[in-house]
Amino acid sequence: MSDISVQSGKPASVSPYKSLQGRSVVTLDDISMGELGYLLRKADYCLSHPREAAQACAGRILATLFFEPSTRTRLSFETAMLRLGGKTIGFAGAQLSSATKGESLADTVKTVSQYADVIAMRHPKEGAALVAAEAASVPVINGGDGGHMHPTQTLADLATIHARFGRLDHLAVGLCGDLTFGRTVHSLIETLCRFGNIDFILISPSELKTPRYVLDRIDRTSSCSYTEVTDLQKAIGDLDVLYMTRVQKERFFNEDDYMRLRDTYILDEEKMRHAKSTMAVLHPLPRVNEISVDIDDDPRAAYFQQVKLGMRMRMALESSVLGDAIPGFIDDEVSGEQEVQA
């Protein structure tokens, strides 16, 4: 069983409460194992103690700079700040920003840094979050950059898996659908490899297979393995977690290819009959038709729980990079050695 309080590798005198303050989060590689454990515990506290969290970030302002359409992620970031007692500003589409006038991304975030205490950004170009983090004078949290990384979605995924199984290792994790462009898939695989002892079953058509650099990450982890398959129904019975993804129309240059591949995998009641009674079905949302609505009432459906836990994880992350304590959360008071060890 994994220990979410695993040693971070930082000096014992530096607790995650202090080490996260003022930092940008472009990828979860930026976050130590001790800090991951800290965020999971803090999010759980936010869930169980909403009143205590309600004024933790009073007077703070979050700017959401979403150069790409989003509903869940943007509203999740904004709701998280509102539940912490702060306020939000921002835009939801590049056409609503000065990017349409030719302003550079660096100039945009330098300007917004003068208005806000923290920035959450989504951008269609890979690497944009790093550019923003280097230009900003306040912490930048990556809300997704192209097909690259989506660290806060991965935090939601980790919280959901941990809530279901009480661990983040010794699991068979199936990832199904668009494994080429799915940044949520790439982030989750890379982070679960850090916990180790994961058997990945990669389910996709040949046109949407997992990129080589992600497979290389699994190969570098001796306790992890992967299998590439094309048949969901044959694989589903072996899975503890099934992570469904949609085929993303916005990532395709050829609409004929999208139309041909979009209905490759549809999870329905028939397929679920072959699954374990304890299997958890996750999905980063939005879904199109890859999960039948008939599955929503199945106790194994965890994707709306993901939404709720994702917002709590963003509460934990936003308050942490701002350095704002949540009253009653004991990890704010203990030493680094106590913080990162069981």
Side-chain angles (χ1 to χ4, degrees):
M1 180 177 293
S2 66
D3 178 2
I4 61 172
S5 301
V6 66
Q7 178 69 28
S8 71
K10 292 181 178 294
S13 60
V14 181
S15 75
Y17 170 55
K18 294 296 184 184
S19 66
L20 285 165
Q21 184 174 350
R23 283 169 50 192
S24 291
V25 178
V26 174
T27 167
L28 285 190
D29 287 344
D30 299 335
I31 304 297
S32 73
M33 292 292 282
E35 290 161 352
L36 282 174
Y38 171 84
L39 291 171
L40 285 162
R41 294 191 300 275
K42 195 173 189 181
D44 186 61
Y45 184 83
C46 289
L47 181 64
S48 58
H49 295 80
R51 290 183 180 273
E52 285 79 354
Q55 294 301 313
C57 294
R60 299 290 200 174
I61 295 176
L62 164 76
T64 51
L65 310 185
F66 275 60
F67 294 86
E68 188 176 54
S70 169
T71 302
R72 272 147 299 276
T73 303
R74 181 176 60 85
L75 293 181
S76 182
F77 272 114
E78 292 178 352
T79 303
M81 180 53 72
L82 293 171
R83 287 186 178 274
L84 289 166
K87 299 182 184 299
T88 69
I89 60 174
F91 56 81
Q95 72 278 7
L96 302 176
S97 78
S98 288
T100 60
K101 303 175 184 177
E103 183 176 52
S104 70
L105 175 60
D107 278 1
T108 297
V109 297
K110 285 177 181 178
T111 300
V112 174
S113 294
Q114 311 309 309
Y115 306 143
D117 300 292
V118 59
I119 294 170
M121 191 186 82
R122 169 170 286 185
H123 200 282
K125 293 184 179 179
E126 296 181 8
L130 180 59
V131 171
E134 290 176 342
S137 56
V138 299
V140 173
I141 302 174
N142 184 6
D145 58 333
H148 187 217
M149 289 291 163
H150 197 346
T152 61
Q153 179 62 52
T154 300
L155 290 175
D157 302 340
L158 296 178
T160 307
I161 295 169
H162 195 270
R164 290 282 173 140
F165 296 96
R167 65 184 191 276
L168 291 167
D169 59 5
H170 294 94
L171 294 166
V173 178
L175 301 110
C176 180
D178 180 359
L179 306 189
T180 297
F181 300 107
R183 59 192 169 199
T184 59
V185 169
H186 305 162
S187 289
L188 181 58
I189 290 174
E190 293 203 8
T191 305
L192 285 176
C193 281
R194 297 172 67 186
F195 290 89
N197 293 290
I198 300 290
D199 294 325
F200 294 102
I201 296 86
L202 308 173
I203 310 160
S204 71
S206 59
E207 297 92 339
L208 295 174
K209 293 176 68 174
T210 309
R212 184 69 250 173
Y213 80 91
V214 179
L215 299 180
D216 288 342
R217 178 66 179 88
I218 302 173
D219 285 336
R220 290 196 301 271
T221 308
S222 59
S223 64
C224 293
S225 63
Y226 71 87
T227 306
E228 294 183 286
V229 300
T230 59
D231 192 321
L232 171 60
Q233 185 157 311
K234 287 184 178 178
I236 197 170
D238 297 324
L239 305 180
D240 297 306
V241 176
L242 173 59
Y243 197 94
M244 294 293 295
T245 67
R246 69 185 173 93
V247 176
Q248 303 172 82
K249 184 177 183 179
E250 62 270 29
R251 305 293 177 213
F252 280 80
F253 296 106
N254 186 320
E255 186 163 352
D256 289 340
D257 287 342
Y258 166 72
M259 296 299 291
R260 178 170 52 84
L261 294 170
R262 67 174 184 172
D263 295 332
T264 304
Y265 301 107
I266 298 176
L267 183 65
D268 55 21
E269 290 181 313
E270 173 57 31
K271 291 185 179 70
M272 288 293 284
R273 291 190 187 99
H274 300 274
K276 295 177 182 178
S277 61
T278 55
M279 187 186 76
V281 180
L282 279 67
H283 192 303
L285 301 178
R287 68 174 164 189
V288 182
N289 64 343
E290 60 276 1
I291 298 179
S292 169
V293 295
D294 295 335
I295 305 300
D296 293 355
D297 294 328
D298 191 306
R300 293 168 290 185
Y303 31 91
F304 292 116
Q305 181 184 19
Q306 257 177 294
V307 174
K308 184 176 184 177
L309 294 179
M311 186 268 293
R312 301 299 177 181
M313 288 300 288
R314 291 181 177 97
M315 288 177 68
L317 185 59
E318 289 171 6
S319 61
S320 294
V321 299
L322 288 168
D324 292 338
I326 295 180
F329 180 51
I330 193 169
D331 274 349
D332 290 347
E333 308 298 332
V334 299
S335 72
E337 183 175 0
Q338 292 170 309
E339 186 80 54
V340 297
Q341 293 182 351

